[in-house]
Amino acid sequence: MEIIITSDYEDMSRVSAEYIAREIKNKHDLVLGLATGDTPIGTYKHLINLHNEEGLDFSKVKSFNLDEYVGLAPLHVNSYNYFMRENFFKHVNINQENVFVPQGHIDDPEQFSFWYESQIQKAGGIDLQVLGIGRDGHIGFNEPGSSFASRTRVKALYKQTIEDNARFFNHIDEVPRFAVTMGIGTILESRKILLIANGRSKADVVAQFIEGPVTSQVTASALQLHCYATVILDEDAASKLTRKEYYNWVRDNKHMVQKRVGR
Ligand code: PGA
């Protein structure tokens, strides 16, 4: 894993957007996995700026979102379909036909999950998957105990996730109890992974998934098994890492080590 510690949220957002932009410039038809939540909003803003000011071209990019609440229609203000449209898709030149966000408002989420996996396969697999992390260590909505082999499916949300996400709803009872989410197995098949995290509330779980044991109790720790995972943090989220000095040295001397060390 490559760990990049940036100064603050703004810096984390800029560095992660530049990373994604480089990948798009290298492969115009990049298959990009996308995440929702507060964390990536700044990254999306920077990508929109790169589109408006430097012509970053999304016309051939295909996107697959990680997850969606079961029971919320795509136009519901708390749905991730709505979130993506408002915070990103409507501001760039991505082709609507190339946009895939799981549907939660359907009769048969299980059948949908199979279809979603098949669309990822049809697109040639995900080139770069962007992730946030929940305070319980989840990536997507892969709550503690999710199998590392899991595929897109319906998952029951953990109590802490429901409490954390209640801030977006009028009342905690309105937070859906289930979500459709890509599985850990799905995520690990992405060619590259970029996880971003900011804020002191993420410091404990960031230290656990990077420096702790690989365990399905902290599903983000599965990234330790991936050969091309990058983590971009702000100072607060990185504050409980014990090997910060080493990560910073590698970041600052990357030109020397790039060809010599693995991740
Ligand atoms: P957040 O959520 O970006 O709103 O903190 C992250 C997540 O739950 O994956």
Side-chain angles (χ1 to χ4, degrees), residues 36-40 132-135 138-141 161 165 167-168 202:
T36 50
D38 280 338
T39 314
I133 182 170
R135 285 196 306 138
H138 70 212
I139 46 177
F141 270 131
T161 300
N165 291 4
R167 68 189 192 277
F168 299 112
K202 300 285 174 72

Side-chain angles (χ1 to χ4, degrees), residues 69 78 80 138 141 157 159-169 172 175:
Y69 290 115
N78 290 124
Y80 288 162
H138 70 212
F141 270 131
L157 301 187
K159 187 168 165 277
Q160 189 172 31
T161 300
I162 293 168
E163 286 165 6
D164 284 351
N165 291 4
R167 68 189 192 277
F168 299 112
F169 294 79
I172 192 163
V175 184

